[in-house]
Amino acid sequence: PASFYCRTEATVMPTPCKEGHYCPKGSSIPLPCPEGFHNALANLSSSDECDECPPGSFCRSGSVAPELCPAGRFGAFPGLPDAQCSGPCAAGHHCPSGSTNATAYRCAAGTFNAVQGGTDPSACQPCSNIECGENLYRQGQCTIDDNGYTCHACANLLCEVGTYRSGSCSGTTDG
């Protein structure tokens, strides 16, 4: 009968279909719910009875329950089949497990994250007005842009002979 399977043709007592699987009439083995779907109920007779995994999660074939997308990744759509989910969290942000968009949490003011895949606030490092090297200058600390808080890159801007840099080339060394 549907919702059961029989390991051999002469089975007197069919076996109930197990969780994460379905058993159409005449099944000799349980069939797994497809990738991107799950089901915690036993005795399903059709793949149509498997539930689609919600955003922020993924389901491998035969899943009983959805698994959250891992920290550093996000799941924007339902029905994702594996832990890659939709992709890595965007630079300038961090994504805890179960995130549904690449920009789940922006790095806090005064911090930055230059790489994708930040998993928690510790991925966001403090900005600093560091020395960039001879004849280089880091202008400002942090600004906010579409990718979150980022530090300005060092600029290779030389001041003219006889001037010095104090925010911008100004003043003279003469007095």
Side-chain angles (χ1 to χ4, degrees), residues 4-8 26-30:
F4 291 85
Y5 66 100
C6 300
R7 292 187 179 143
T8 62
S27 295
S28 60
I29 59 169

Side-chain angles (χ1 to χ4, degrees), residues 52-137:
E52 191 169 36
C53 285
S57 68
F58 66 96
C59 295
R60 293 182 175 96
S61 177
S63 291
V64 173
E67 295 180 59
L68 292 178
C69 291
R73 304 198 74 78
F74 71 99
F77 306 103
L80 296 172
D82 59 48
Q84 294 299 310
C85 294
S86 296
C89 185
H93 298 79
H94 59 93
C95 299
S97 61
S99 292
T100 58
N101 64 68
T103 56
Y105 294 94
R106 181 182 295 259
C107 288
T111 66
F112 76 103
N113 177 10
V115 297
Q116 296 179 330
T119 58
D120 59 41
S122 70
C124 302
Q125 300 299 309
C127 292
S128 63
N129 210 6
I130 62 170
E131 284 290 324
C132 292
E134 188 175 348
N135 296 324
L136 298 176
Y137 180 74

